[in-house]
Amino acid sequence: MFLSYAASAGGFQNGPQNARLLGLGGAATAYSRDASGIFYNPGILGHLDSLTHLSFGGMGTARTTSFLGTDSRLQTKQDFVVMPGGYFYATHPINDRVKVGLSINTPFGYDTKWPSFWEGSSIVRSASMQTVFVQPTAAFKVNDNFSLGAGVIYAHGRLKRERSLGQYDDLEATARYEGSGSGLGYNLGMYGRTGDDLSFGISFRGPVTLKVNNGTADYRNVPALDADRYPASSGFNTEVKLPSSLAVGLADQMTDKLLVTFDFALTGWSSYDSLNFEAQTGPRVRNGRRYEDAMAFRVGGEYEVSKDLLLRAGVSYDESPVRDEYISPELPDGNRLGGALGVSLRLSKVMLDLGYSLDMAGNRTARVNRTQYQSPNIAGTYRTMVHTLAAGVSYSFGSKK
């Protein structure tokens, strides 16, 4: 229920959580030149140099989406919304073999808003989710060519949703849901080098279940006849299952100035089978999802113009985990082809990092299946483009050994 496609990766997973990685198209599993690697592959931490590294910044995601109704032939555009995000990474060496780090970012989220009285308002008017992942990490350098890392994840998320109660003539009759929850997970990674020019990485981030135990459901402008069915306020519980991710990456120093990276990722969306609201009073909500595991392919390049200027570019392809029969205005997600550009510019002792990506999702057509009465829908075709912009600062200090 709390889903959208504001993210620039499949499902409601956000795009690369760093301006540098955004410019590479997200090919990050074997990229060891930035502190953000501790989230995408904790093993990279073991091969960072003896300096203390900091990387922090902000992100914004905006999309243009239109819906063409099959029966009405009316075109509706979502309200323009910029979904904010941010990141902070820090790494520090304990000794030559052991290093520790901290990752704080927003890897899942969305912010969807349709016009209040559009033809699908009884399905959804607005929906949003914000998450924050905090991951302390440690890594051990086994030898000059191999390191292992692990992190513990604490995740917190907040959900909001509003829809019209379409069975009433009063268009202001609405149901609003809001709640927050948290969960724990883990992140494992391995990083290695086969020579001076070629490196590889493997990482696995486990699933996280956000347990929402304090949700509030509000029903407004309900006729007095149905006041018992839709109480003014009620509590509810639910769980949101955030998927696991398995990634394999390569990085090749093709020339003295050109680095090329490649990633393959498999996201375990099949764990997201349904989303159910267990209300204390009022109606219970049952929503089937039946997501499928989804693959992603990413290729990026970084070119060193000078010690003070780096240029990046990347392309990506993300499969959608949403089956055809479950396409809806909550998540009209489609397979995505994306392109990205980035630059890093040294300003005194810091590096200014900028990244931009554009994702184009394939058109998705939703159909109404009368047998899926627990998953109401509206028939029509969705078209989506997603823009993501990130800006950050990287800073390193200490002494190299």
Side-chain angles (χ1 to χ4, degrees):
M1 177 175 289
F2 295 106
L3 304 180
S4 176
Y5 54 93
S8 60
F12 52 94
Q13 180 173 265
N14 286 337
Q17 295 291 288
N18 177 273
R20 290 190 181 188
L21 301 184
L22 182 64
L24 284 173
T29 307
Y31 183 78
S32 61
R33 296 182 176 180
D34 188 75
S36 59
I38 66 175
F39 179 73
Y40 290 95
N41 181 359
I44 286 175
L45 176 59
H47 262 75
L48 294 181
D49 57 31
S50 59
L51 299 177
T52 296
H53 298 278
L54 299 176
S55 178
F56 55 91
M59 306 177 66
T61 300
R63 79 272 190 190
T64 57
T65 302
S66 65
F67 170 80
L68 181 63
T70 299
D71 298 325
S72 68
R73 306 310 297 171
L74 294 176
Q75 185 180 64
T76 304
K77 294 183 178 180
Q78 280 196 357
D79 294 349
F80 182 82
V81 176
V82 177
M83 184 182 70
Y87 60 87
F88 173 85
Y89 304 100
T91 67
H92 181 73
I94 302 300
N95 54 48
D96 183 56
R97 288 185 176 273
V98 178
K99 297 182 177 67
V100 295
L102 178 66
S103 163
I104 303 175
N105 55 20
T106 55
F108 295 92
Y110 61 88
D111 195 348
T112 294
K113 189 175 182 181
W114 292 93
S116 295
F117 304 119
W118 81 293
E119 59 183 305
S121 63
S122 62
I123 310 299
V124 64
R125 278 187 176 182
S126 63
S128 66
M129 178 174 75
Q130 296 87 34
T131 64
V132 176
F133 274 39
V134 180
Q135 179 188 301
T137 308
F140 178 73
K141 184 177 180 181
V142 179
N143 55 45
D144 290 341
N145 294 318
F146 188 73
S147 59
L148 300 171
V152 176
I153 297 172
Y154 170 77
H156 181 80
R158 187 167 188 85
L159 313 172
K160 294 181 181 180
R161 184 180 189 272
E162 178 181 349
R163 69 179 182 90
S164 300
L165 296 174
Q167 65 268 43
Y168 303 119
D169 293 333
D170 186 354
L171 298 179
E172 296 293 342
T174 59
R176 297 183 180 181
Y177 307 89
E178 183 172 353
S180 61
S182 58
L184 296 175
Y186 60 91
N187 200 350
L188 306 174
M190 177 181 68
Y191 175 80
R193 294 173 176 170
T194 60
D196 294 335
D197 298 330
L198 185 65
S199 59
F200 65 91
I202 302 174
S203 68
F204 179 79
R205 187 172 67 245
V208 176
T209 299
L210 298 180
K211 296 184 178 181
V212 180
N213 297 318
N214 62 345
T216 300
D218 295 326
Y219 302 96
R220 304 183 182 186
N221 301 309
V222 175
L225 184 64
D226 284 346
D228 291 338
R229 181 183 180 190
Y230 295 103
S233 183
S234 173
F236 71 87
N237 300 328
T238 190
E239 293 184 350
V240 179
K241 296 180 179 179
L242 305 179
S244 63
S245 177
L246 173 65
V248 178
L250 295 173
D252 189 3
Q253 189 70 46
M254 303 286 290
T255 71
D256 291 341
K257 293 183 176 293
L258 177 62
L259 175 74
V260 176
T261 61
F262 169 80
D263 266 23
F264 165 80
L266 178 65
T267 304
W269 285 107
S270 59
S271 62
Y272 196 77
D273 184 68
S274 63
L275 182 63
N276 304 319
F277 282 11
E278 300 296 337
Q280 298 171 2
T281 58
R284 293 182 175 182
V285 179
R286 297 287 185 269
N287 285 274
R289 288 293 176 256
R290 296 190 63 201
Y291 274 23
E292 298 178 306
D293 294 342
M295 297 184 294
F297 302 88
R298 309 177 188 280
V299 179
E302 180 178 85
Y303 186 79
E304 181 181 333
V305 178
S306 69
K307 294 295 183 182
D308 298 328
L309 179 63
L310 298 172
L311 302 179
R312 300 181 187 90
V315 294
S316 61
Y317 176 79
D318 288 83
E319 285 187 332
S320 171
V322 183
R323 299 171 186 255
D324 289 342
E325 60 268 33
Y326 287 91
I327 294 297
S328 78
E330 297 172 19
L331 185 60
D333 191 40
N335 296 337
R336 299 186 179 195
L337 180 63
L341 295 172
V343 61
S344 288
L345 177 65
R346 184 176 300 280
L347 301 175
S348 185
K349 296 182 179 181
V350 303
M351 290 290 285
L352 174 63
D353 304 317
L354 299 173
Y356 168 78
S357 70
L358 170 64
D359 285 6
M360 302 185 65
N363 293 352
R364 297 301 296 268
T365 299
R367 296 176 175 82
V368 176
N369 187 339
R370 304 298 180 185
T371 65
Q372 295 180 356
Y373 62 92
Q374 291 183 338
S375 299
N377 206 354
I378 182 172
T381 300
Y382 299 88
R383 296 180 179 180
T384 303
M385 294 175 62
V386 182
H387 304 264
T388 303
L389 180 66
V393 172
S394 302
Y395 178 65
S396 302
F397 59 92
S399 58
K400 286 191 175 183
K401 297 179 180 180

